[in-house]
């Protein structure tokens, strides 16, 4: 299991600026603000090892609410922000999905769940491939559990990763011809890197 952060998260200076919590109407200001929010969300999630958020549950947390200012990002603005993060303009750094596991279009996300891609699946795939090469595990069948919870990966950034995100990232490795996924009836899934 991934170890929790020992240091508290350091919020950027603009987090203490009240207008930061209301999306601005001027296009250039709004664009800069969206980028600042995206960077903040990715950094916060990376620090706390958060791979997905429930927007409704996340709104009252320090990520979206500055208690010292008594200011919060509204649900409407948070949805607009995450929809922007899910777009090409926002770097595809988020993706809405339904609780049943199916993907939804960002604008249909309502208060649902969203992946926060502080590393996109392609980036995780490259990191996993590099780790397998570095640790000499090419050609070895590894269980998905062992990849995210095993002793060999405890100090890796993907330790404790959400299993669904791991599957998506491994799918990228498979498409690149770098891995094959195996399902072993009841024993869990495994993967072999080439």
């Amino acid at each position: 299991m991934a170890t929790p952060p020992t240091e508290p998260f350091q919020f950027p200076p603009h987090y203490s600026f009240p207008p930061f919590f209301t999306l601005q109407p001027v296009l250039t200001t709004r664009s800069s603000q969206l980028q600042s929010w995206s960077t903040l969300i990715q950094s916060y999630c990376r620090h706390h090892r958060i791979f997905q958020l429930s927007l409704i549950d996340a709104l009252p947390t320090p990520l979206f609410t500055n208690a010292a200012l008594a200011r919060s990002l509204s649900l409407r603005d948070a949805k607009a922000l995450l929809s922007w993060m899910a777009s090409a303009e926002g770097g595809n750094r988020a993706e809405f999905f339904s609780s049943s596991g199916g993907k939804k279009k960002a604008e249909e996300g309502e208060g649902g769940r969203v992946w926060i891609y502080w590393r996109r699946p392609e980036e995780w795939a490259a990191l996993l491939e590099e780790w397998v090469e570095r640790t000499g595990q090419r050609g070895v069948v590894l269980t998905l559990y062992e990849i995210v919870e095993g002793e060999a990966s405890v100090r890796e950034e993907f330790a404790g990763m959400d299993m669904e995100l791991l599957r998506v990232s491994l799918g990228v490795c498979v498409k690149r011809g770098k891995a094959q996924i195996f399902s072993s009836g009841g024993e869990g899934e495994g993967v072999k890197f080439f």
Side-chain angles (χ1 to χ4, degrees):
M1 186 167 164
T3 54
T6 54
E7 304 275 327
F9 181 74
Q10 296 296 315
F11 284 94
H14 52 265
Y15 181 79
S16 298
F17 188 52
F20 184 61
F21 290 88
T22 304
L23 291 185
Q24 300 301 303
V26 177
L27 217 48
T28 54
T29 306
R30 185 184 188 107
S31 178
S32 174
Q33 181 185 28
L34 289 170
Q35 185 56 56
S36 294
W37 265 110
S38 178
T39 301
L40 169 62
I41 291 168
Q42 290 174 62
S43 298
Y44 183 90
C45 289
R46 179 182 221 152
H47 180 83
H48 291 288
R49 316 278 309 135
I50 298 169
F51 295 94
Q52 58 177 276
L53 293 173
S54 161
L55 190 51
I56 297 295
D57 295 338
L59 281 175
T61 69
L63 176 57
F64 294 109
T65 300
N66 184 327
L69 294 178
R71 295 296 302 258
S72 294
L73 197 64
S74 71
L75 177 59
R76 185 195 75 211
D77 286 354
K79 284 196 287 189
L81 164 63
L82 291 169
S83 292
W84 180 83
M85 286 178 67
S87 72
E89 184 183 3
N92 299 309
R93 290 292 177 180
E95 182 177 6
F96 284 93
F97 64 96
S98 69
S99 14
S100 64
K103 293 178 182 176
K104 289 184 174 183
K105 291 187 178 194
E107 58 271 12
E108 296 172 7
E110 290 309 308
R113 300 195 68 79
V114 62
W115 292 108
I116 300 298
Y117 292 142
W118 37 281
R119 281 194 188 272
R120 289 185 295 270
E122 307 79 46
E123 296 167 329
W124 284 118
L127 194 68
L128 288 161
E129 291 167 9
E130 184 274 327
W131 171 74
V132 165
E133 189 66 35
R134 181 172 30 91
T135 58
Q137 298 187 81
R138 193 171 352 142
V140 176
V141 176
L142 302 163
T143 67
L144 273 55
Y145 179 83
E146 158 177 45
I147 291 172
V148 296
E149 301 292 342
E151 286 182 35
S153 64
V154 73
R155 289 185 168 38
E156 301 297 329
E157 195 172 15
F158 53 82
M161 177 188 275
D162 182 280
M163 282 294 187
E164 187 58 32
L165 180 55
L166 177 62
R167 284 184 191 95
V168 170
S169 301
L170 289 172
V172 173
C173 296
V174 169
K175 285 180 186 169
R176 291 179 180 165
K178 303 277 189 169
Q180 181 178 358
I181 297 176
F182 301 96
S183 184
S184 56
E187 292 293 315
E189 293 171 280
V191 63
K192 182 178 182 178
F193 287 85
F194 311 116

